[in-house]
Amino acid sequence: VKNALSQAADTFSSQSHKALEKAESSDRSFSVVVGAVRKRVSTWFNDLVDSLTIEGAEWTLAAEVKQLEAMLDTITAKLREAEMERALKQLRRQAQDTLSEAVADRLNNPDEAMWSGVMAGFDAANAEAEQQLRRRMDMAEVYGGEQRSKLQRALRSGVWEDMVRALKEEVADQMVLLKLRSKLEDRFRYDEAGLPRVWRPSDDIDAQFAQARSAAQALLPLFSRIDTSASSTLPQPVSAAVGTFFPPGFDVERSLVLISASRQRELGKRFGREADALYLEAKRAMVTTQNHVPVWVMVLLVLLGWNEAMTILFNPLYLVLTALVAGSAFVLHNLRLWGPAVRAVGGLVNVANDHVHELLVEAVNRTDPGRNRDAPAEGRSRRQARSEEIEMDPLGDSSKDSSVSR
């Protein structure tokens, strides 16, 4: 009988676990699932007891039957507790999915109503989770007021911790700097209509940058602490929620701080350096746009060069020569032949230089036959060596172009 008691308890526990896992996706209640398993186990044990009972004997197995019922009650209580823990975890996961999306959306678009939106998302997720929890408690036959309140406080604290965890992920160092830089760029690089700014010399870039930087830096204290004043669920002040809304001993005040004072100072310094780099980039861009020829210089060039321009236009020789030079330059530029043209001109200059040198040497030798007798041979060898260096290279070969130019 003792072995039967142990076997019945183990069978009830294992089969109940399996039945609850199968019934998790259905609407079958805890009492129905566990009650069916309990009925089968009790029937099996009672049949076993009846087979062992001897008619006319003074002893009975009623005590063993009561002992089995007590064991099954204990196991049922443990199963109910495990079922409620599983329900809490499942409801927290569902609420976390909703909160993560709401938190990311609000913190990526920070404004004065940021915390109002975050707390509205928390209130909605918490209300939905509590409604599902009450349904699960009714299905599990959890009717005790204190036990139900304990489960509700555990759910609220879990949903709150999940929201705080999502908020801390959004206010990590790199994420905060990214949000501040995005705010700065939106105010500095774009106008009120959302169009990119094109800085002109008449624009007050310093004042625009100061305003944009102040607006971005104002977000840092906003990110540093959770503002629960807009919540319709949390008691105010929030410290009064401990023991009523949250479990006793829950440190809600500490969870409100997302960025400490020391982290704020460090993030402020790092953001200042990034903001200065953006400002210098904008100043350089504005200086670059200002690097054009002023209008008065163009007018002066027209006035000073008017006579020369008229001379070229009304002189056929100058006009044809100018057209040829301009056409040649246009062709060389479009065909990218400046490199070969420069090399060809350089080669002609060198050949002309050698030829002139030879003529001078010959002239000197005629006046003084005994002087520099080997100069012509030296000039010819040097000219020959230079002519060997000049080769017609294929167009576009950059490696050969660089070797010849050297």
Side-chain angles (χ1 to χ4, degrees), residues 19 44 57 70 104 115 117 160 181 194-195 197 244 247 273 297 311 378 403:
W44 173 81
W115 288 118
W160 176 265
R181 185 167 57 250
L195 300 176
R197 294 182 186 271
T244 57
R273 290 192 291 268
V297 174
T311 301
E378 180 183 355
S403 63

Side-chain angles (χ1 to χ4, degrees), residues 10 28 35 70 80 83 88 104-106 113 148 155 217 223 241 270 294 313 328 330 351 367 373-374:
D10 293 340
R28 297 179 62 190
R80 182 178 290 109
E83 176 67 14
L88 287 176
D105 179 64
R106 297 304 303 177
R148 291 175 72 94
L155 177 63
Q217 288 178 335
F223 288 141
R270 293 173 60 181
L313 291 176
S328 301
F330 179 77
V351 171
T367 58
R373 183 172 299 172
D374 297 332

Side-chain angles (χ1 to χ4, degrees), residues 307-336:
N307 294 330
E308 288 76 7
M310 293 300 101
T311 301
I312 293 175
L313 291 176
F314 293 103
N315 190 315
L317 181 61
Y318 291 161
L319 183 60
V320 172
L321 181 61
T322 303
L324 289 175
V325 172
S328 301
F330 179 77
V331 172
L332 292 175
H333 179 74
N334 288 337
L335 297 180
R336 299 179 181 179

Side-chain angles (χ1 to χ4, degrees), residues 343 389 391 393 397-406:
R343 290 198 306 273
E389 292 179 359
E391 298 178 358
D393 298 328
D397 195 341
S398 58
S399 61
K400 292 184 179 182
D401 294 348
S402 59
S403 63
V404 175
S405 62
R406 289 196 297 268

Side-chain angles (χ1 to χ4, degrees), residues 144-155:
E146 180 60 30
Q147 189 175 3
R148 291 175 72 94
S149 299
K150 182 179 179 181
L151 289 172
Q152 288 177 342
R153 288 193 295 267
L155 177 63

Side-chain angles (χ1 to χ4, degrees), residues 1-148:
V1 175
K2 291 182 179 180
N3 292 333
L5 283 173
S6 177
Q7 183 179 356
D10 293 340
T11 301
F12 175 69
S13 178
S14 61
Q15 291 186 2
S16 296
H17 276 294
K18 293 179 181 179
L20 288 173
E21 290 178 357
K22 292 180 180 179
E24 185 175 357
S25 58
S26 64
D27 293 334
R28 297 179 62 190
S29 64
F30 175 85
S31 58
V32 172
V33 175
V34 177
V37 178
R38 181 167 183 166
K39 184 178 181 181
R40 290 198 302 270
V41 173
S42 298
T43 301
W44 173 81
F45 186 78
N46 290 329
D47 293 342
L48 180 63
V49 168
D50 292 340
S51 64
L52 295 177
T53 301
I54 300 175
E55 296 182 0
E58 297 181 355
W59 54 271
T60 62
L61 297 176
E64 282 73 10
V65 174
K66 292 182 179 180
Q67 183 179 359
L68 175 64
E69 294 297 328
M71 294 173 64
L72 294 182
D73 289 340
T74 303
I75 296 173
T76 301
K78 293 181 178 179
L79 289 173
R80 182 178 290 109
E81 183 179 356
E83 176 67 14
M84 296 315 302
E85 289 180 357
R86 183 163 56 249
L88 287 176
K89 291 180 180 178
Q90 182 180 3
L91 294 175
R92 282 184 61 178
R93 285 196 300 269
Q94 295 175 358
Q96 184 179 5
D97 294 338
T98 304
L99 283 173
S100 298
E101 184 177 355
V103 166
D105 179 64
R106 297 304 303 177
L107 266 70
N108 287 329
N109 300 280
D111 52 18
E112 296 179 354
M114 182 184 72
W115 288 118
S116 299
V118 172
M119 297 313 301
F122 169 76
D123 293 340
N126 183 73
E128 177 66 21
E130 285 195 31
Q131 181 181 359
Q132 295 294 328
L133 178 63
R134 286 191 292 269
R135 186 179 67 85
R136 298 288 288 270
M137 288 190 296
D138 293 339
M139 294 174 61
E141 297 181 346
V142 180
Y143 300 124
E146 180 60 30
Q147 189 175 3
R148 291 175 72 94

